[in-house]
Amino acid sequence: MSGMRSITLGHYLPGNSILHRLDPRAKLMGLLILIAALFLIKTFSGFFYFGLFFVLTFVSSRLPWRYFMRGLKPVLYIVFFTLILHFLFTKGGQVFWRFGPLTIEENGVFLGSFMTLRLILLVITTLLVTLTTSPIAFADGIEFLLRPLRVFRVPGHEIAMMMTIALRFIPTLMEESDKIRKAQMARGADFESGNIFRRARNLVPLLVPLFVSAFRRADDLAVAMESRCYRGGDNRTKMRQQQVTCLDYLGVFTTCGIAAAIVLTGV
Amino acid sequence: MLIEARDLSYTYMPGTPFQVEALKKINLGIARGEFVGVIGETGSGKSTLVQHFNGLLKPTGGEMCVEGKNIWHGETNLRKLRSRIALLFQFPEHQLFEETVFNDVAFGPRNLGMSGSEMEQRVRFGLTSMGLDFDTYRDRSPFHLSGGEKRRVAMAGIMAMRPEVVVLDEPTAGMDPVGRRKFMEQVSRLHREEKLTVILVTHNMEEIARLAERLFVFNRGELVLQGQPAEVFKSVSLIKETGLEIPAFSELLQQLRQRGKEVRTDLFTVGDVAGEILKLSREERT
Ligand SMILES: Nc1ncnc2c1ncn2[C@@H]1O[C@H](COP(=O)(O)OP(=O)(O)OP(=O)(O)O)[C@@H](O)[C@H]1O
Ligand SMILES: [Mg+2]
C-alpha cells in the first residue's frame, strides 16, 4: 500500500493536451534546454519568469495539481535539507539572527533560497515531462537523443530497451514486494521496530522471495523475447513511427526563445 | 460474532486518478468454528476484504471488529492478532525463503518468541497437519519441492502458529485435481477435528458448495448475497449476473425440480446426488 503510493512520482497520466501530444523527442529537447537555462539564470527575477512559463504550461497540460504536488513530496526533504545547510553554514553579509555559535547571515539566506528555488523548478519541470509522456515514448525519445553518441560506441537502443524494461517492471516489483511483505507480516514478521541491524536482518524474509521472483520474471521475459526473435540495434524498424509535426518544431523553438529571453533578463 | 465488519469500505490510492473503490459498506459476521466461503468474480474485492480480518489493511471507512472490539481503536496488538487469525495468500509458495523446510515453517513460531523443543513441536504439528512427514521434509530445501508440496509447506507455516482462524485466499489455484483434493481434505479435517474457523476464498463452486456452511457473494465491491450454499445457489439469475457459475449438481437438481420432480436441491456431492436420483427413479417406477 505504502509502496504503491510512492510510485506516483513520475507516473504517466494519459491525456490529450498539447503537452501530451508533443513528440517525446521534442519534449526531451525542450526539457534539456530549460534545464540548461535554469543553471544559467543568476537572479530571482529570472526564476520568476521561468515560474510563469511553467505555470502556463502546467495549466495547459490539465494535470490535476493535487496529484502533481504529491509527486513532489519525496523531493521536499532534500529541498528542506539544502535550505537548512545554506542558512546555517553560508556566511557573509548582515547577521540576521544569532544563537550561541549559530548565526544566520545574509548570504546564507540568499543562497539558500536561490538553490532551493532552482531545485524545485528543476524537479517540477522534469515531472511535467514525465507525467505527460508514456514510458515507451520516453524511451524512444532517449534512444533518439543518444544517437549522436553512437560515434563513441554508446549502445543507444540497448540502453533505451533496458530503461523500458526497468520502467515496466517497477510497478510489478512494488506490487510483489507489497504482497510478500504482507504475507510475512501475516506470519508475525516485524518490519517496523528494532534497531538498524535488526531491521536489516528482518528484511531477509522479504528480499529472498523478491529476488527469486525477479529472476523468474527476468527468465520468462528473456524466453518470451527470444521466441519472438528479438534483436536490437542496427536496422531495427519501429512499429510506431514518430512523426515530427509543425507543432513539435514550434514547441522546441518557442521553448528555446523563451529560455533565451529569460536567461538574458536574468543574467 | 468472532469477526465482524460494519459498514466497511476500502479505497485504493484515494485522492489520485488511480483511485479504486474496492469495498463498499460491507456488513458481515463470522462466528467461531464456522466454515464460510467468499465467492465473486475476479476483481470483486475478495482479497481486499480478507486482508482486513487480521489488520493488514486499514479500512478507509467503517469498522473492523474482532470479538466485538474495533481492532483499529485502542491497543489491539496487531502482531498477536495475526497469529490468531492467520492468512494464506494467493500463491503462498512465493513467500518461502529459508534454506530448509524446517526453518521456513518455524518462522511463524519463532516470531511468536518460541525456541527449542516447543518450536520443534509446532513445526511437527504444522507439517503433519498438512499431511507432510516431518522427518522426510525437515531438511529439504523449500525451493526444490513440487508446486503442491510448496503450497502445503506454506500452509504448514501458517498452521504452526496454531491459529484459531485461517483465511485461505484461493489456496488451490493452479493445482492439479489430486493435489487440490488432498489440500482441501486436510483443511476440512482441521476444521472438524481442531474446531478451526475457516474462511475460504475460491473460484471453485463445486468445492465451496460442498465444504462451506455459509457463503458470501461479492460483486464489484458489494456484498450481494449471503446464506447457506443451497439457498445462495437458488438465486440462479443473480449468481449468473455477478459472473459466477452454479455448481452443476445444483443446476441439475433444480432443473429436475422445475420439471415437477420432488427432489432436494441442497446436495452437492456425487454420492448424495446419485442417491437422490435413484430414489426418484424408484418412486417413478412404483
Ligand atoms: N494494491 C492495489 N492497488 C490498487 N488497486 C488494487 C490493489 N489491489 C487490488 N486493487 C483493485 O481493487 C479491486 C479488488 O481487488 P481484489 O484483489 O480484492 O479482487 P479479488 O476479488 O481478490 O480478485 P481475484 O479473484 O482476481 O483475486 C480490483 O479492481 C483491483 O484492481
Ligand atoms: Mg484475490
Side-chain angles (χ1 to χ4, degrees):
Chain A
M1 191 173 66
S2 52
M4 289 300 288
R5 204 162 284 161
S6 57
I7 60 158
T8 51
L9 170 66
H11 196 304
Y12 169 58
L13 270 186
N16 199 26
S17 70
I18 295 184
L19 209 54
H20 281 94
R21 276 178 291 154
L22 271 183
D23 189 290
R25 294 170 285 185
K27 268 188 275 190
L28 280 176
M29 277 199 282
L31 179 63
L32 284 181
I33 295 163
L34 288 175
I35 290 176
L38 261 183
F39 282 94
L40 291 175
I41 294 173
K42 294 278 187 307
T43 63
F44 281 108
S45 65
F47 281 159
F48 175 75
Y49 294 124
F50 193 98
L52 211 62
F53 178 57
F54 169 79
V55 169
L56 286 178
T57 347
F58 178 74
V59 170
S60 82
S61 76
R62 269 175 270 156
L63 289 170
W65 70 274
R66 259 166 195 263
Y67 179 72
F68 189 85
M69 285 304 152
R70 189 171 298 190
L72 210 65
K73 228 188 215 164
V75 192
L76 285 184
Y77 295 105
I78 305 175
V79 169
F80 187 67
F81 197 62
T82 319
L83 199 65
I84 295 289
L85 278 184
H86 274 294
F87 270 33
L88 291 181
F89 298 112
T90 308
K91 304 293 176 201
Q94 202 185 336
V95 177
F96 288 146
W97 190 73
R98 184 186 293 278
F99 181 82
L102 293 178
T103 53
I104 293 182
E105 301 177 12
E106 195 181 343
N107 284 3
V109 173
F110 178 78
L111 212 59
S113 341
F114 194 79
M115 289 299 180
T116 310
L117 261 178
R118 178 179 279 172
L119 203 60
I120 292 179
L121 287 173
L122 184 72
V123 172
I124 56 181
T125 319
T126 315
L127 207 53
L128 196 57
V129 173
T130 54
L131 282 177
T132 54
T133 315
S134 81
I136 294 178
F138 198 84
D140 273 353
I142 296 274
E143 184 175 347
F144 172 78
L145 289 184
L146 286 176
R147 212 176 283 169
L149 297 182
R150 258 197 310 210
V151 188
F152 307 111
R153 294 179 172 273
V154 174
H157 171 79
E158 280 74 8
I159 292 177
M161 190 64 186
M162 268 158 31
M163 257 186 59
T164 317
I165 293 175
L167 285 174
R168 157 69 186 74
F169 277 99
I170 287 173
T172 314
L173 284 182
M174 289 271 186
E175 222 168 88
E176 190 100 3
S177 81
D178 199 44
K179 227 181 89 188
I180 298 170
R181 194 175 55 89
K182 280 185 190 157
Q184 306 296 28
M185 271 162 74
R187 292 209 277 167
D190 183 5
F191 297 117
E192 270 124 32
S193 57
N195 63 28
I196 188 152
F197 294 108
R198 235 199 129 73
R199 273 193 202 202
R201 219 192 44 208
N202 287 351
L203 279 183
V204 173
L206 178 64
L207 292 180
V208 173
L210 196 59
F211 274 106
V212 170
S213 105
F215 281 123
R216 194 182 52 230
R217 277 181 203 286
D219 222 36
D220 289 351
L221 184 66
V223 170
M225 283 167 82
E226 294 252 295
S227 58
R228 285 171 182 72
C229 304
Y230 168 82
R231 62 179 272 283
D234 295 335
N235 304 329
R236 188 179 166 79
T237 54
K238 285 194 190 308
M239 187 172 110
R240 267 164 296 111
Q241 285 290 347
Q242 301 277 359
Q243 285 294 328
V244 181
T245 60
C246 297
L247 191 70
D248 298 318
Y249 282 116
L250 200 68
V252 174
F253 286 126
T254 356
T255 313
C256 266
I258 291 174
I262 293 174
V263 170
L264 286 181
T265 60
V267 171
Chain B
M1 284 289 146
L2 179 62
I3 294 175
E4 207 174 350
R6 298 186 191 138
D7 284 333
L8 182 93
S9 306
Y10 190 81
T11 307
Y12 282 104
M13 299 188 272
T16 71
F18 304 105
Q19 157 173 344
V20 183
E21 252 187 285
L23 291 176
K24 299 168 199 160
K25 298 228 172 205
I26 305 296
N27 283 291
L28 57 79
I30 296 162
R32 198 181 293 277
E34 264 194 303
F35 194 135
V36 300
V38 180
I39 56 179
E41 210 184 354
T42 177
S44 56
K46 304 180 298 292
S47 301
T48 309
L49 174 77
V50 296
Q51 286 174 51
H52 282 89
F53 293 164
N54 64 353
L56 282 174
L57 288 179
K58 185 172 178 178
T60 49
E63 296 176 41
M64 181 69 238
C65 302
V66 173
E67 290 175 328
K69 274 200 289 257
N70 186 331
I71 59 170
W72 292 100
H73 278 178
E75 59 280 0
T76 308
N77 183 340
L78 285 179
R79 283 184 69 195
K80 207 161 181 185
L81 180 72
R82 286 177 194 142
S83 69
R84 292 176 51 201
I85 302 178
L87 174 60
L88 193 71
F89 274 89
Q90 258 163 321
F91 299 105
E93 59 272 31
H94 295 169
Q95 72 186 35
L96 302 173
F97 70 99
E98 281 282 6
E99 284 167 50
T100 64
V101 168
F102 182 94
N103 281 337
D104 212 287
V105 176
F107 183 66
R110 204 174 273 145
N111 284 327
L112 294 177
M114 288 176 203
S115 58
S117 64
E118 192 186 16
M119 183 174 79
E120 188 175 319
Q121 219 171 10
R122 286 297 187 92
V123 176
R124 192 182 285 274
F125 170 78
L127 286 173
T128 44
S129 75
M130 285 320 289
L132 297 167
D133 182 57
F134 180 73
D135 293 306
T136 26
Y137 282 95
R138 62 172 298 167
D139 292 322
R140 292 181 61 181
S141 160
F143 294 102
H144 295 159
L145 301 173
S146 77
E149 285 171 323
K150 277 186 196 167
R151 277 257 173 121
R152 284 196 282 168
V153 168
M155 178 69 185
I158 295 285
M159 286 312 299
M161 303 207 298
R162 285 225 162 222
E164 295 161 40
V165 182
V166 286
V167 184
L168 306 172
D169 194 349
E170 293 182 41
T172 56
M175 273 168 101
D176 65 293
V178 176
R180 188 149 65 203
R181 207 188 59 230
K182 267 195 202 155
F183 188 95
M184 286 323 300
E185 262 168 20
Q186 300 295 345
V187 172
S188 73
R189 192 182 57 76
L190 287 167
H191 167 63
R192 279 193 319 270
E193 292 173 8
E194 309 271 337
K195 302 276 176 289
L196 187 69
T197 311
V198 181
I199 300 166
L200 177 65
V201 179
T202 183
H203 284 289
N204 189 331
M205 297 299 139
E206 318 282 335
E207 189 177 86
I208 199 79
R210 204 155 24 83
L211 295 171
E213 291 151 9
R214 226 141 51 83
L215 289 184
F216 297 108
V217 186
F218 279 81
N219 187 26
R220 300 189 190 175
E222 283 174 278
L223 178 58
V224 287
L225 202 58
Q226 59 173 308
Q228 289 171 353
E231 291 300 311
V232 164
F233 288 122
K234 266 187 200 154
S235 319
V236 178
S237 56
L238 183 61
I239 294 275
K240 293 209 163 150
E241 238 168 70
T242 65
L244 297 173
E245 287 285 323
I246 310 282
F249 288 143
S250 200
E251 208 160 10
L252 171 71
L253 293 171
Q254 283 180 36
Q255 291 245 346
L256 282 174
R257 188 140 210 187
Q258 271 167 18
R259 295 176 194 191
K261 311 289 182 200
E262 279 298 310
V263 287
R264 284 171 60 182
T265 50
D266 57 345
L267 305 172
F268 300 103
T269 62
V270 183
D272 289 349
V273 174
E276 191 71 9
I277 290 174
L278 276 180
K279 203 173 92 201
L280 182 70
S281 65
R282 239 180 277 127
E283 278 165 16
E284 301 252 296
R285 234 178 284 137
T286 55

